[in-house]
Amino acid sequence: MSIQILMPALSPTMEEGTLAKWLVKEGQSVKAGDVIAEIETDKATMEVEAVDEGVVSRILIPEGSEGVKVNTPIAELDGEGGAEAPAPKAGAEAPKPAPEPEAPKAAEPVPVPAPAAAVAASPTPDSEIPNGTKFQDQTVREALRDAMAEEMRRDADVFLMGEEVGQYQGAYKISQGLLDEFGAQRVIDTPITEMGFAGLGVGASFAGLKPIVEFMTWNFAMQAIDQIVNSAAKTLYMAGGQMGSPIVFRGPNGAAARVAAQHSQNYAAWYAHVPGLKVVAPYFAADAKGLLKAAIRDPNPVIFLENEICYGKTFPVPVMDDFVLPIGKARVVKPGKDITLVSFSITMGLIIDAAAELAKEGIDAEIIDLRSLRPLDTATVIASVKKTNRLVVVEEGWPICSISSELAAQVQGDAFDYLDAPVMRVTGKDVPMPYAANLEKLALPNLADVIAAAKAALYR
Amino acid sequence: MAKKSATAATADRLLQFYRDMLLIRRFEERAGQLYGMGLIGGFCHLYIGQEAVVVGMQAAIGPGDQVITAYRDHGHMLAAGMEPNGVMAELTGRSGGYSKGKGGSMHMFSREKNFYGGHGIVGAQVPLGTGLAFANKYRGNKHVSLTYFGDGAANQGQVYESFNMAAVWKLPVVYVIENNQYAMGTAITRSTSETHLHKRGVSFNIPGEEVDGMDVEAVHAAGQKAVAWCREGNGPYILEMKTYRYRGHSMSDPAKYRTKEEVQEMREKHDPIEGLRARLLKLGGVDEAALKQIDKEIKDIVAISAEFAQTSPEPDPKELWTEVYA
Ligand SMILES: Cc1ncc(C[n+]2csc(CCOP(=O)(O)OP(=O)(O)O)c2C)c(N)n1
Ligand SMILES: [Mg+2]
């Protein structure tokens, strides 16, 4: 019985890799668990182990081959014995997700589509960036790392603390290189003890240090939320202004791919609820950089919500000595006159795509990126609604007591007479995140939902 | 039937241990393969190397005793007697899975087998397992809760809040610390002031001992003692299992934080399955052919589970909205 060995996916988002090295030769026998090859991905080199017993009859992909797609047969094994065992068919098809027009690539488990390249590459320039500034392409990951590095160079009181931020270079590689540059005194690996190190960070901030506390993901900050709300957010007030907490809590927020209910939750509305906190949730790399620098300098506790799926996205970032953006200001990414589409973080990709689709039907949508959630820049949204008279708010989180319900309330209060249609909301479904691929897709907002909401607001 | 001699009974038990550990090993290897094919998504934490711990401990408990653990849970479920088909189909997110595809690798449960999950938040299962023990004491039913957690989880505050309550209220819970020496990329020596985790109960007056977690017989013996202690109403007990995971923390971890030699040394000199295999052959009573037959049977069970996990349909879209409330 001949068994095909396939190019494995070694992470939830891997699509292809380099077959770096074969550790077996044709004719060699292997047993389950033997390491047979090394594969390189953009993040790491990994070993591939045999699952079946047998003799390597053919090597199909030579070592050194780059760009080998996941599930390509890379070798053949002549299995011994188990001929009648119903081994899973090599190359068995991956479950086909329900066909959806906006799905990026069938094999890619990223639940939200990438933004339309045209808008993403040339968003309306930020008013903080002087004319003539040069831009360089950077991933969000690099922009965040640079922001921390620049602030750590600038201010010796700034330090980074969290699980795996040092030697491992960050669970999601955001702190790549920082341990090398700043040493173990300022880039600190913690035990898994979120309540402890969040509280320790707040205490250090009372004493005047400026901690950046990384949560591996915001799901784990639930262990620490008491210190964030009761200690960090309220102390300035309780102390009559004598002392406060200049601290940044940061990490990936929201759904990642297929990690299910306990690891896929969006905390935007949770923290935006709390007086004393500032909350930032950028989408573009430039905003990630400029706002993280601002957060580190801010004398208040700042919740900095990143997104795992966006870490690898590339956007232009201004090349400036010290690029700092104001917290609390939304940005009009693209002006338009027919309808206002508002979002933040990963779902910006959805409204950018939706605007492109609507444009094909002659609908000119204005796109607004909130960027900050507290303070919430309702003025920018209201000014836009006064022009377009229609509003769709899109977010990944749950609908009840959400950012979109807050905006709907504020807009109906301040621009009631300007609205030509009810404020439409597109949100994550009101359920815990399911694991199954088809259900996960249904749980998250998608492009069709946004277009439908926009058309409903336009009565089309 | 004539009563079996003690040695024959021991041999039978060892053979069962062999079978149970091998099932976990082969199941996990197959899960790794299905992950590589894109059929399993998200995080997938394999248990390869640690099989002796759950197999030895499960044999030390009886009907009605409960088990709870974290996300590295496939081995615990198989040891608890859950069906390989249902576990594998949950890994692929299909309707035939234990949670109908809604929970995935990290969140699976079986009321029938007294398996209380599969939990994704490091340390959170420790108060939960203590609560299971509380319910046992409350009902006076003499059952014991096996509450597993890792060396990394041992630094969470709620573990010590649990220890204190369990000791004060004499709750029947065995805390099984699976010390595989790493928490993701952090070696225990880098994160932990007292690395002999069985001593962590000292200030709560909870007895603890260190066990060779690569030796299923040692695990079983220690487990029997600890479970008896709890059942007799003496309160909690701590077992620190010295063990090792061969694979990365999850599928996407290249495990660069330890040397190849270190892993090789564990695989070659301390493998729980190879160790038991050698011992079985030395004891006599089974020969190579008999063990090969077991290998084949296990291979078939796992192959069938993989087939089932691929053919079981995806959950009905209506499932999105069900079971949010009772
Ligand atoms: C509260 C919390 N913090 C962080 C994580 C991320 N995380 C998942 S597993 C893990 C390491 C746990 O190590 P250990 O307890 O030794 O168990 P092992 O993985 O070795 O079985 C970390 C940090 C999490 N899931 N929950
Ligand atoms: Mg561990």
Side-chain angles (χ1 to χ4, degrees):
Chain A
M1 187 188 62
S2 169
I3 302 165
Q4 287 194 326
I5 299 174
L6 306 179
M7 181 73 170
L10 299 169
S11 75
T13 46
M14 172 176 164
E15 285 174 33
E16 57 175 44
T18 299
L19 207 164
K21 198 166 162 197
W22 277 108
L23 302 171
V24 292
K25 295 195 199 60
E26 289 185 358
Q28 191 173 328
S29 18
V30 294
K31 57 181 186 358
D34 287 354
V35 178
I36 55 169
E38 282 178 6
I39 285 178
E40 281 169 16
T41 67
D42 53 341
K43 288 196 205 112
T45 304
M46 305 275 293
E47 292 174 343
V48 181
E49 293 174 8
V51 178
D52 297 288
E53 208 165 357
V55 175
V56 179
S57 53
R58 282 207 302 154
I59 285 181
L60 303 168
I61 304 280
E63 64 181 27
S65 306
E66 289 176 18
V68 183
K69 294 262 180 300
V70 164
N71 276 342
T72 313
I74 55 173
E76 270 175 17
L77 204 65
D78 275 336
E80 62 175 39
E84 63 281 55
K89 288 167 217 74
E93 281 171 43
K96 288 210 182 53
E100 277 191 51
E102 79 288 6
K105 274 171 225 96
E108 191 181 5
V110 176
V112 177
V119 183
S122 55
T124 311
D126 204 288
S127 54
E128 318 298 320
I129 303 171
N131 281 339
T133 301
K134 282 207 183 63
F135 286 79
Q136 67 174 24
D137 277 350
Q138 272 198 319
T139 59
V140 172
R141 176 179 282 120
E142 290 161 346
L144 291 167
R145 195 245 350 255
D146 286 359
M148 290 194 284
E150 286 177 22
E151 292 307 297
M152 288 176 76
R153 281 173 212 136
R154 186 178 164 270
D155 183 347
D157 285 341
V158 178
F159 68 96
L160 173 66
M161 183 170 67
E163 291 158 21
E164 309 288 0
V165 298
Q167 286 192 16
Y168 200 79
Q169 311 288 323
Y172 298 101
K173 302 284 172 269
I174 306 304
S175 50
Q176 190 101 46
L178 296 184
L179 177 65
D180 282 350
E181 181 175 350
F182 299 103
Q185 155 107 354
R186 296 180 68 195
V187 180
I188 302 159
D189 281 320
T190 64
I192 308 170
T193 176
E194 287 85 4
M195 177 68 117
F197 67 74
L200 184 152
V202 175
S205 76
F206 289 170
L209 295 182
K210 293 168 190 155
I212 306 169
V213 172
E214 174 175 309
F215 291 115
M216 192 177 284
T217 77
W218 276 96
N219 304 287
F220 314 142
M222 295 280 269
Q223 299 288 322
I225 197 167
D226 179 73
Q227 291 291 5
I228 298 171
V229 175
N230 269 326
S231 305
K234 299 177 183 172
T235 294
L236 182 71
Y237 192 81
M238 297 188 299
Q242 298 173 77
M243 66 172 83
S245 184
I247 190 169
V248 176
F249 296 104
R250 50 157 289 273
N253 172 52
R258 302 294 303 284
V259 292
Q262 292 185 330
H263 283 72
S264 292
Q265 189 168 328
N266 198 303
Y267 293 91
W270 290 59
Y271 292 105
H273 188 64
V274 182
L277 295 179
K278 292 188 178 181
V279 183
V280 180
Y283 174 69
F284 294 101
D287 293 332
K289 182 171 183 186
L291 288 167
L292 183 52
K293 281 167 66 82
I296 294 167
R297 291 181 198 185
D298 201 286
N300 299 288
V302 181
I303 304 295
F304 199 88
L305 304 173
E306 302 158 10
N307 185 286
E308 185 197 331
I309 293 165
C310 294
Y311 280 148
K313 288 192 199 298
T314 300
F315 298 105
V317 175
V319 182
M320 288 169 62
D321 284 345
D322 194 22
F323 172 57
V324 187
L325 287 170
I327 292 174
K329 277 179 78 175
R331 186 162 64 89
V332 178
V333 175
K334 172 194 157 311
K337 59 180 184 350
D338 297 331
I339 187 164
T340 303
L341 306 179
V342 175
S343 193
F344 59 94
S345 190
I346 185 166
T347 40
M348 281 306 297
L350 279 183
I351 65 169
I352 291 168
D353 282 356
E357 287 299 314
L358 293 168
K360 289 181 194 157
E361 301 184 34
I363 299 163
D364 183 14
E366 178 146 310
I367 301 173
I368 295 179
D369 181 356
L370 291 171
R371 303 193 292 188
S372 294
L373 305 174
R374 181 183 265 270
L376 186 61
D377 184 2
T378 46
T380 296
V381 177
I382 285 164
S384 175
V385 169
K386 286 186 174 170
K387 183 171 68 168
T388 66
N389 314 112
R390 294 159 210 276
L391 175 62
V392 178
V393 188
V394 181
E395 69 186 305
E396 185 197 75
W398 290 317
I400 313 294
C401 303
S402 61
I403 301 297
S404 57
S405 56
E406 175 62 25
L407 267 181
Q410 299 230 18
V411 169
Q412 68 84 25
D414 291 355
F416 187 76
D417 291 336
Y418 293 87
L419 282 170
D420 285 348
V423 176
M424 302 298 294
R425 306 195 291 143
V426 179
T427 69
K429 302 295 188 297
D430 196 19
V431 297
M433 185 64 72
Y435 166 73
N438 64 328
L439 299 185
E440 185 187 63
K441 256 182 183 293
L442 293 171
L444 291 164
N446 65 39
L447 183 60
D449 295 342
V450 179
I451 292 172
K455 289 195 172 165
L458 286 154
Y459 300 107
R460 305 227 327 203
Chain B
M1 214 169 75
K3 231 183 168 188
K4 276 194 178 166
S5 71
T7 45
T10 309
D12 280 358
R13 196 176 64 221
L14 292 185
L15 211 54
Q16 190 59 43
F17 287 168
Y18 179 76
R19 198 182 271 280
D20 293 347
M21 290 197 291
L22 199 64
L23 173 64
I24 297 172
R25 175 75 53 97
R26 295 286 169 263
F27 182 95
E28 293 291 67
E29 285 165 355
R30 186 66 81 187
Q33 187 192 42
L34 295 187
Y35 192 95
M37 291 159 69
L39 291 160
I40 297 173
F43 296 136
C44 183
H45 310 87
L46 300 183
Y47 196 63
I48 296 175
Q50 301 181 209
E51 296 91 344
V53 177
V54 288
V55 168
M57 285 308 299
Q58 191 72 31
I61 59 173
D65 294 336
Q66 305 113 325
V67 174
I68 190 167
T69 188
Y71 45 83
R72 196 179 302 285
D73 55 356
H74 313 161
H76 301 68
M77 295 187 281
L78 295 174
M82 290 167 66
E83 293 292 333
N85 281 10
V87 179
M88 198 69 99
E90 189 60 38
L91 298 187
T92 54
R94 304 305 179 89
S95 54
Y98 267 97
S99 303
K100 307 178 198 169
K102 289 157 85 165
S105 163
M106 298 186 284
H107 318 107
M108 254 185 270
F109 308 81
S110 169
R111 162 82 63 197
E112 185 202 344
K113 300 290 180 194
N114 281 308
F115 181 73
Y116 284 82
H119 297 270
I121 302 301
V122 168
Q125 78 277 19
V126 181
L128 302 176
T130 309
L132 294 170
F134 179 90
N136 293 338
K137 172 127 200 240
Y138 189 90
R139 297 206 169 105
N141 63 17
K142 297 282 175 204
H143 293 321
V144 174
S145 151
L146 291 191
T147 298
Y148 291 87
F149 58 98
D151 48 290
N155 290 319
Q156 286 286 36
Q158 50 186 325
V159 170
Y160 302 95
E161 299 178 22
S162 301
F163 280 9
N164 186 46
M165 289 186 286
V168 173
W169 297 330
K170 289 205 184 313
L171 304 180
V173 48
V174 182
Y175 295 111
V176 187
I177 309 179
E178 297 198 63
N179 181 357
N180 60 13
Q181 297 156 61
Y182 292 89
M184 216 169 252
T186 304
I188 184 168
T189 47
R190 294 207 296 123
S191 62
T192 304
S193 58
E194 170 55 78
T195 57
H196 295 100
L197 299 174
H198 61 281
K199 294 188 190 164
R200 287 287 183 94
V202 170
S203 59
F204 302 92
N205 294 321
I206 304 177
E209 66 186 88
E210 181 182 297
V211 183
D212 178 358
M214 304 304 271
D215 176 351
V216 67
E217 288 178 88
V219 171
H220 182 236
Q224 282 186 314
K225 191 170 124 195
V227 169
W229 168 273
C230 293
R231 232 192 272 296
E232 284 156 15
N234 298 311
Y237 204 98
I238 295 171
L239 293 176
E240 177 192 1
M241 302 289 173
K242 295 297 282 282
T243 181
Y244 202 79
R245 69 166 152 74
Y246 296 175
R247 298 289 189 96
H249 168 75
S250 65
M251 292 303 295
S252 52
D253 169 24
K256 291 276 137 105
Y257 41 80
R258 56 187 192 186
T259 62
K260 278 195 173 146
E261 290 70 39
E262 180 183 307
V263 183
Q264 214 47 37
E265 156 93 14
M266 291 306 289
R267 281 179 178 234
E268 278 165 15
K269 305 221 175 97
H270 302 280
D271 187 74
I273 298 175
E274 287 303 319
L276 182 60
R277 189 186 172 94
R279 197 163 133 64
L280 280 165
L281 290 172
K282 209 167 112 202
L283 280 177
V286 279
D287 56 7
E288 282 281 357
L291 293 179
K292 260 225 132 95
Q293 180 56 28
I294 294 180
D295 293 0
K296 192 184 154 327
E297 285 165 26
I298 297 291
K299 206 175 157 189
D300 289 355
I301 293 171
V302 170
I304 288 165
S305 76
E307 185 69 16
F308 178 76
Q310 291 174 66
T311 50
S312 172
E314 289 192 314
D316 190 292
K318 286 205 266 316
E319 287 289 341
L320 181 64
W321 297 101
T322 59
E323 289 141 3
V324 179
Y325 295 100

